[in-house]
């Protein structure tokens, strides 16, 4: 299901990408939360909220396994661009 990002939501999410190198864990978590809220999908928001603690523990435990911050930043930029363009395949 594709959704459209309002300009305000897009700018806020885009600003999180800029923070990914400086504060990778915090910015990544906020980036994904903003996408979920912007989707307008109440069920997904509730489901993620239920598992948020578990997701955060997994993020902390696997941080050393993830791509370098600059690679992560590029992946997030690509994802946001695909969503903005409503390109479901790329997103």
């Amino acid at each position: 299901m594709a959704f459209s990002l309002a300009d305000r939501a897009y700018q806020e999410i885009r600003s999180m990408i800029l923070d990914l190198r400086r504060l990778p864990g915090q910015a990544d978590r906020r980036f994904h939360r903003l996408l979920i809220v912007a989707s307008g999908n109440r069920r997904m928001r509730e489901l993620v909220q239920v598992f948020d603690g578990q997701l955060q523990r997994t993020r902390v435990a696997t941080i050393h396994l993830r791509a370098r911050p600059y690679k992560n930043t590029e992946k997030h930029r690509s994802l946001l661009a695909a969503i903005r363009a409503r390109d479901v395949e790329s997103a």
Side-chain angles (χ1 to χ4, degrees):
M1 172 175 72
F3 67 95
S4 168
L5 284 175
D7 286 337
R8 187 170 140 240
Y10 173 77
Q11 292 303 328
E12 191 173 357
I13 293 168
R14 190 168 163 237
S15 75
M16 287 298 101
I17 292 172
L18 300 175
D19 288 339
L20 281 170
R21 288 186 188 190
R22 197 169 45 87
L23 303 165
Q26 293 172 355
D28 184 62
R29 189 176 188 188
R30 181 130 172 83
F31 174 87
H32 290 283
R33 280 185 175 174
L34 289 169
L35 280 180
I36 291 165
V37 169
S39 77
N41 187 326
R42 182 181 54 82
R43 284 188 180 177
M44 181 171 37
R45 191 173 59 240
E46 290 170 355
L47 188 60
V48 169
Q49 187 175 12
V50 166
F51 291 103
D52 188 56
Q54 196 170 4
L55 290 168
Q56 184 58 21
R57 285 188 294 280
T58 301
R59 282 185 202 104
V60 170
T62 61
I63 196 157
H64 66 283
L65 300 174
R66 292 191 221 149
R68 300 281 183 232
Y70 69 90
K71 288 183 181 178
N72 202 21
T73 300
E74 290 308 313
K75 288 179 182 180
H76 283 74
R77 280 188 182 142
S78 297
L79 175 61
L80 184 59
I83 291 169
R84 183 74 165 175
R86 300 178 66 90
D87 181 351
V88 177
E89 293 284 321
S90 295

